[in-house]
Amino acid sequence: MKLLIDDANFEKIKRLYEFYPIDGVTTNPSILAKSGRNPYEVLTQIRDFIGKDADLHVQVISRKAEDMVVEGRKIAERLGKNTLIKIPTVEEGLKAMKALSAEGYRVTATAIYTPQQAFLAGKAGADYAAPYVNRIDNLGGDGVQTTMRIHDIYENNGMKTQLLAASFKNTQQVLELAEYGIGAATVGPDVIEGLMKNVTVDSAVEAFIADFEKLVGTGKTMLDC
Ligand code: E4P
């Protein structure tokens, strides 16, 4: 399962790339708004940092299919043809997905709350489909189960569309989907760091160091003992 950062804060992205095995970055209009910066300025900085081959997902804003297509082409022109154009999975969006994927652009169907939407997005040629796990949970549904059903629909129909599960609020949601072998998850910085946070592990590592220092002296390692 690919692991992407769902954020546009450049300092956070840099830090996570330094320590964690990260495969790309996703943004949406609300995430860009939080950055408070010009969208193309921050996105270009992210693209330059992650490299031209890494996955970067950027959403269109227009409501009409024809405008989404023009906007999608512009996103790819500014940020590289490899950039995934995120299109909301509504009727106009399906029309835009068909057009952009036919032109060879990479498309991510976003704002997916139901397997029905995901099925249609796959048929429309989307490379990725992004179900909103936590938002589905908040509506009284089961975001993890919905994502697994979408995975099965794609597998059982031989569709090329991959999952990009999104909207996570805890590490358990991420782990259950990793166990199921879905294609990718995009996760906010706090939840990514939460995958590693464990005081028991930290204290075990500290105990190893303390025992070693008792043996050979404070600050010593296998380099100079
Ligand atoms: C990503 O594609 C989605 O836009 C995002 O994960 C939504 O997350 P949220 O529910 O935390 O806003």
Side-chain angles (χ1 to χ4, degrees):
M1 182 176 85
K2 284 188 183 178
L3 180 63
L4 290 89
I5 303 170
D6 201 21
D7 207 290
N9 180 306
F10 186 65
E11 291 311 315
K12 285 186 187 172
I13 290 170
K14 249 181 25 182
R15 183 182 182 281
L16 288 168
Y17 260 82
E18 183 180 351
F19 292 101
Y20 291 80
I22 300 293
D23 298 296
V25 174
T26 63
T27 61
N28 65 31
S30 308
I31 286 173
L32 289 174
K34 254 189 256 162
S35 82
R37 299 172 57 192
N38 174 274
Y40 280 115
E41 181 199 296
V42 64
L43 289 165
T44 303
Q45 189 180 29
I46 294 169
R47 169 56 86 204
D48 290 346
F49 176 72
I50 66 177
K52 68 176 175 45
D53 296 326
D55 284 349
L56 175 63
H57 299 245
V58 179
Q59 192 163 327
V60 298
I61 312 297
S62 305
R63 288 192 174 84
K64 302 297 285 179
E66 291 72 17
D67 301 330
M68 290 178 185
V69 169
V70 174
E71 210 183 329
R73 289 190 199 121
K74 172 63 81 179
I75 288 169
E77 183 192 312
R78 295 284 302 262
L79 299 165
K81 183 108 198 231
N82 195 35
T83 304
L84 286 133
I85 303 161
K86 282 175 84 177
I87 301 179
T89 311
V90 293
E91 225 176 40
E92 294 283 340
L94 287 177
K95 184 174 171 184
M97 286 176 209
K98 289 198 291 175
L100 283 168
S101 61
E103 289 179 28
Y105 291 99
R106 299 178 77 207
V107 167
T108 298
T110 195
I112 289 185
Y113 288 76
T114 67
Q116 289 88 330
Q117 280 176 289
F119 170 66
L120 291 172
K123 297 275 296 171
D127 296 272
Y128 280 102
Y132 285 8
V133 176
N134 199 66
R135 293 197 199 190
I136 295 169
D137 285 355
N138 284 343
L139 289 172
D142 186 329
V144 167
Q145 278 299 326
T146 301
T147 305
M148 289 173 175
R149 283 183 71 192
I150 296 169
H151 175 92
D152 292 348
I153 288 168
Y154 291 153
E155 287 271 308
N156 295 337
N157 287 279
M159 291 161 102
K160 64 156 182 117
T161 313
Q162 295 278 306
L163 264 299
L164 170 72
S167 178
F168 289 98
K169 285 298 163 281
N170 64 64
T171 59
Q172 184 61 22
Q173 294 165 330
V174 179
L175 198 69
E176 283 181 41
L177 291 175
E179 280 170 4
Y180 208 68
I182 68 148
T186 185
V187 185
D190 291 354
V191 178
I192 292 179
E193 286 166 352
L195 291 164
M196 273 307 287
K197 258 183 213 147
N198 189 327
V199 285
T200 313
V201 176
D202 293 344
S203 76
V205 173
E206 284 308 318
F208 286 137
I209 295 171
D211 286 344
F212 192 81
E213 289 185 335
K214 259 185 250 155
L215 177 69
V216 292
T218 306
K220 297 280 186 192
T221 67
M222 290 301 288
L223 209 57
D224 55 5
C225 59

